[in-house]
């Protein structure tokens, strides 16, 4: 599609600078580069990147952009894997403004730690730290939290996570603005907190923290997490997946909105931290044994396990070599410093070029010592399939008995009970796998065309979950990385494809295979610009943003105002 003509933006830039100050309206290509390019995919021009410093400023910035009829992308940490918070080309109606919420990171712990109130830039990492004194934790821990992912971003994408009992990030309690069909901006307060009547009053009070526990409705009937998920994931005979982004069950206002609303705050439940846990490391040559384990624990145990993370041997190996420096950085620096590290990496690449920092870090990683426990290494030499299983204190006995039956220590299957250090290392090894594929691509540009990354939700009644590619697709792949959240049957599948392969054609062939298996995709990273939004998701987006001014084109939908023009990929609504 030909880039659309741009109107004069001088008045808009002047208005934005009047709100946030000149230094927080970025316009040069170099200054905006790290906001315009996605972590894995997505890139394009922007009129400006605007960084409001208060919720009231965010309202004023958004209002100015709506009046100027420019397209708007809301962006928090820019850690998404499908390009949903960055431009996709240059054909946005009226031009594009990216509103970065990284300066809006305040949070408030409320109701004695049972809930939190998070602004749009609050990171999972910061939320974890705020809840530690209360013995509580957020919906998701480690993984995306150590990369600086935002809480609101997780809600807007119904992001999942490794914790089996908690399901997708979800709330019905949010403060947001929507663009009306007539081009005005309306603020909706569904937080269940009395803050006043006008946008200026509501947002100024939140900025100051000017409310008390008496202003909070504790008896609201609205959910601040997915209360039904525990029973939902345990329905192991259902032909539908446990969680996926187009599931109407979890689409509600801000939840699943994917940037089609301007979200100012969300109210979320927190969870008691499990203090006494045990981790088992399990490995086998026979995937059917893992299936029997999953079905037994979901159907026969009083509660599901806390976590069950799967890795195939290739994912193990690539993470071992190409995720080693990240593993060591997290282990030695802690997750608290990782957001700053990734921010510095992004700024470095914006100046010196994509992939430069990855190649430097990979070179430096060669001098690091062996970072994995000896028992894990021995299991890798013996087995193809690996599972890290964490259970609560009351589940240890029954789990030991079940594992002794299914993984008895023969040539087909084995297990061991982890020490605290082995447990931490095993989970950390699993979580660096996602970035390892990106590192491999950066280090081997001469042999790698690209990464085709899918997150796939298989039906809950799936017995044969292991993928076997047909020869015509297998021949196009250098490495396939399979890893994921085993008990909810959500798998991340990263295909590092050979030079000369058409990644889009390859991906569409994979979609055909997944359709025959009854899979849903994407499962937890949302459609971004890589996936086609299913009809249920498209209808939800249209109801939230009838003018189609916020994140237009998401999910390869229509990009024009009022959803009138074809999608940039030719597949969208008309």
């Amino acid at each position: 599609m030909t880039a659309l003509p741009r109107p004069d933006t001088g008045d808009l830039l002047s208005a934005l600078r009047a709100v946030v100050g000149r230094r927080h309206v970025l316009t040069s290509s170099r200054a905006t580069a790290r906001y315009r390019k996605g972590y894995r995919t997505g890139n394009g021009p922007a009129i400006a990147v605007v960084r409001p410093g208060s919720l009231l400023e965010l309202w004023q910035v958004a209002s100015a952009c709506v009046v100027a009829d420019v397209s708007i992308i809301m962006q928090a940490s820019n850690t998404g894997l499908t390009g949903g918070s960055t431009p996709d080309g240059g054909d946005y109606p009226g031009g594009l403004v990216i509103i970065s919420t990284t300066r809006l990171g305040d949070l408030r712990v409320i109701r004695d730690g049972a809930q939190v109130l998070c602004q749009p830039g609050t990171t999972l990492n910061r939320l974890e730290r705020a809840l530690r004194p209360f013995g509580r934790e957020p919906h998701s821990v480690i993984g995306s939290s150590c990369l600086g992912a935002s809480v609101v971003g997780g809600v807007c994408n119904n992001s999942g996570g490794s914790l089996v009992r908690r399901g997708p990030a979800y709330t019905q309690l949010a403060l947001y603005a929507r663009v009306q069909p007539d081009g005005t901006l309306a603020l909706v307060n569904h937080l269940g907190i009395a803050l006043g009547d006008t946008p200026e009053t509501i947002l100024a009070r939140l900025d100051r923290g000017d409310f008390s526990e008496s202003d909070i409705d504790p008896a609201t009937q609205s959910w601040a997490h997915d209360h039904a998920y525990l029973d939902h994931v345990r329905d192991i005979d259902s032909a539908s997946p446990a969680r996926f982004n187009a599931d109407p069950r979890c689409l509600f206002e801000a939840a699943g909105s994917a940037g089609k609303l301007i979200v100012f705050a969300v109210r979320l439940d927190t969870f008691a931290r499990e203090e006494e846990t045990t981790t088992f490391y399990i490995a086998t040559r026979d995937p059917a044994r893992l299936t029997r384990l999953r079905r037994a624990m979901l159907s026969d145990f009083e509660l599901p396990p806390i976590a069950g993370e799967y890795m195939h041997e290739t994912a193990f190996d690539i993470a071992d070599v190409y995720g080693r420096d990240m593993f060591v950085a997290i282990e030695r620096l802690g997750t608290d410093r990782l957001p700053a590290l990734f921010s510095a990496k992004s700024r470095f690449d914006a100046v010196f070029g994509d992939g430069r920092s990855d190649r430097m870090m990979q070179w430096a990683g060669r001098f690091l010592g062996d970072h994995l426990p000896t028992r894990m290494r021995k299991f890798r030499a013996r087995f193809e399939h690996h599972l890290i299983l964490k259970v609560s204190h009351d589940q240890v006995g029954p789990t030991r008995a079940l594992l002794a039956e299914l993984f008895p220590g023969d040539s087909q299957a084995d297990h061991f009970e982890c020490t605290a250090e082995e447990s931490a290392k095993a989970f950390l090894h699993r979580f660096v796998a996602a970035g390892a594929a990106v590192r491999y691509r950066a280090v081997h540009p001469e042999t790698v065309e690209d990464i085709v990354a899918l997150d796939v939700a298989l039906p809950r009644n799936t017995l044969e979950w292991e993928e076997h590619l047909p020869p015509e697709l297998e021949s196009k792949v250098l490495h396939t990385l399979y890893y994921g959240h085993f008990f909810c049957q959500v798998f991340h599948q990263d295909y590092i494809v050979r030079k000369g392969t058409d990644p889009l054609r390859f991906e569409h062939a994979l979609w055909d295979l997944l359709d025959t298996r009854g899979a849903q995709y994407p499962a937890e990273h949302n459609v971004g610009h890589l996936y086609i939004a299913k009809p249920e998701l498209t209808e939800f987006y249209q109801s939230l943003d009838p003018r189609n001014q916020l994140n237009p084109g998401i999910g390869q939908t229509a990009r024009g105002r009022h959803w009138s023009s074809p999608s940039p990929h030719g597949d969208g609504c008309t």
Side-chain angles (χ1 to χ4, degrees):
M1 185 180 289
T2 304
L4 299 174
R6 297 287 182 257
D8 179 26
T9 58
D11 290 345
L12 173 60
L13 292 177
S14 296
L16 297 175
R17 287 167 180 147
V19 174
V20 302
R22 181 172 294 273
R23 69 181 293 238
H24 294 299
V25 179
L26 313 178
T27 57
S28 73
S29 177
R30 175 173 290 187
T32 60
R34 68 189 183 98
Y35 301 91
R36 294 186 291 103
K37 181 173 176 58
Y39 175 65
R40 268 193 179 175
T41 186
N43 200 357
I47 296 170
V49 174
V50 189
R51 303 176 64 244
S54 69
L55 298 179
L56 185 55
E57 285 185 2
L58 173 56
W59 168 262
Q60 294 167 337
V61 165
S63 297
C65 291
V66 170
V67 169
D69 197 24
V70 296
S71 298
I72 304 167
I73 288 180
M74 299 295 299
Q75 183 186 97
S77 302
N78 192 13
T79 59
L81 300 182
T82 58
S85 60
T86 49
D88 179 44
D91 53 345
Y92 286 86
L96 177 69
V97 171
I98 299 171
I99 302 178
S100 170
T101 63
T102 54
R103 298 177 64 211
L104 305 176
D106 286 348
L107 66 91
R108 178 125 176 210
V109 180
I110 59 177
R111 304 189 63 201
D112 296 322
Q115 291 186 326
V116 290
L117 187 66
C118 297
Q119 290 193 7
T122 304
T123 64
L124 274 169
N125 175 265
R126 182 173 181 182
L127 180 55
E128 280 188 56
R129 287 187 282 125
L131 291 176
R132 283 172 194 163
F134 295 89
R136 311 285 292 182
E137 60 187 17
H139 163 270
S140 297
V141 296
I142 203 170
S144 59
S145 62
C146 66
L147 304 182
S150 72
V151 175
V152 168
V155 170
C156 292
N157 289 309
N158 280 151
S159 298
S162 64
L163 302 176
V164 182
R165 303 172 184 175
R166 298 184 190 174
Y170 180 77
T171 188
Q172 297 172 351
L173 299 168
L175 174 67
Y176 61 88
R178 66 192 300 266
V179 180
Q180 306 286 75
D182 62 359
T184 58
L185 197 63
L187 188 70
V188 179
N189 181 9
H190 286 168
L191 284 174
I193 303 176
L195 294 165
D197 299 319
T198 68
E200 291 76 12
T201 300
I202 292 169
L203 297 171
R205 286 186 63 182
L206 272 186
D207 278 328
R208 298 191 303 266
D210 181 18
F211 64 93
S212 65
E213 291 289 326
S214 63
D215 295 313
I216 302 170
D217 178 6
T220 175
Q221 297 303 303
S222 298
W223 287 0
H225 79 276
D226 182 2
H227 292 209
Y229 186 75
L230 197 57
D231 292 330
H232 184 72
V233 74
R234 298 181 68 174
D235 185 2
I236 59 174
D237 294 319
S238 171
S240 67
R243 54 182 171 92
F244 56 98
N245 287 127
D247 188 353
R249 203 179 62 84
C250 287
L251 300 177
F252 185 90
E253 297 181 351
S257 59
K260 303 303 286 184
L261 296 172
I262 299 169
V263 181
F264 292 85
V266 294
R267 179 175 161 189
L268 295 163
D269 288 333
T270 68
F271 301 85
R273 187 169 61 238
E274 295 274 3
E275 299 292 353
E276 295 185 49
T277 63
T278 298
T279 298
F280 297 90
Y281 195 92
I282 303 161
T284 183
R285 296 176 183 270
D286 178 13
R289 299 198 190 204
L290 292 178
T291 300
R292 290 165 60 191
L293 173 70
R294 171 183 170 269
R295 292 177 66 84
M297 294 193 77
L298 289 179
S299 61
D300 299 339
F301 282 35
E302 184 175 349
L303 285 174
I306 296 171
E309 292 297 294
Y310 170 78
M311 290 186 80
H312 183 263
E313 61 181 358
T314 306
F316 186 112
D317 293 344
I318 296 294
D320 183 14
V321 177
Y322 295 92
R324 179 172 299 199
D325 58 293
M326 185 54 58
F327 181 108
V328 173
I330 295 172
E331 188 176 50
R332 295 183 181 177
L333 298 178
T335 58
D336 293 354
R337 298 184 184 179
L338 262 293
L341 177 62
F342 271 83
S343 179
K345 179 182 182 298
S346 179
R347 288 194 297 271
F348 182 92
D349 284 337
V351 175
F352 296 103
D354 292 340
R356 180 74 62 86
S357 64
D358 281 296
R359 290 189 289 274
M360 290 176 58
M361 293 166 70
Q362 185 64 27
W363 177 83
R366 298 184 305 166
F367 302 101
L368 298 172
D370 192 357
H371 59 301
L372 294 180
T374 300
R375 290 200 287 183
M376 281 179 61
R377 289 238 177 256
K378 289 182 177 179
F379 268 39
R380 167 60 192 93
R382 295 170 57 196
F383 301 111
E384 178 182 359
H385 304 284
H386 299 250
L387 183 72
I388 312 159
L389 178 67
K390 180 181 285 190
V391 300
S392 51
H393 178 69
D394 58 328
Q395 295 178 314
V396 174
T399 303
R400 285 174 177 155
L402 184 58
L403 293 180
E405 174 189 345
L406 295 176
F407 305 89
D410 56 25
S411 62
Q412 292 299 304
D414 203 350
H415 74 281
F416 64 83
E417 195 167 324
C418 296
T419 65
E421 181 182 12
E422 287 172 330
S423 174
K425 287 179 178 287
F427 278 107
L428 188 49
H429 183 58
R430 154 64 186 89
F431 285 115
V432 299
V438 177
R439 172 65 59 77
Y440 189 99
R441 178 180 61 183
V443 174
H444 300 286
E446 70 285 350
T447 58
V448 176
E449 184 66 34
D450 206 349
I451 302 168
V452 174
L454 302 179
D455 55 300
V456 176
L458 298 179
R460 283 165 283 174
N461 64 358
T462 297
L463 300 179
E464 297 180 2
W465 47 269
E466 186 181 15
E467 181 179 71
H468 298 282
L469 291 177
E472 62 271 21
L473 292 182
E474 184 70 39
S475 65
K476 300 180 186 300
V477 178
L478 289 167
H479 301 287
T480 303
L481 283 66
Y482 297 111
Y483 54 96
H485 315 304
F486 187 71
F487 282 79
C488 49
Q489 293 284 270
V490 169
F491 293 94
H492 302 290
Q493 302 180 176
D494 295 346
Y495 306 84
I496 304 175
V497 297
R498 296 179 184 275
K499 202 73 171 178
T501 299
D502 182 340
L504 188 60
R505 181 174 296 181
F506 179 86
E507 182 172 10
H508 288 180
L510 293 175
W511 291 355
D512 291 340
L513 293 177
L514 291 170
D515 289 341
T516 65
R517 300 174 69 192
Q520 290 280 354
Y521 49 90
E524 60 180 8
H525 290 155
N526 222 330
V527 289
H529 294 292
L530 297 183
Y531 296 92
I532 298 172
K534 301 285 175 65
E536 300 88 344
L537 204 53
T538 300
E539 292 173 8
F540 179 61
Y541 293 159
Q542 290 173 331
S543 70
L544 297 179
D545 183 20
R547 187 174 169 77
N548 199 24
Q549 194 168 353
L550 295 169
N551 214 357
I554 194 74
Q556 302 184 28
T557 58
R559 190 161 287 192
R561 292 290 179 262
H562 301 284
W563 304 84
S564 59
S565 68
S567 113
H569 300 275
D571 300 304
C573 303
T574 57

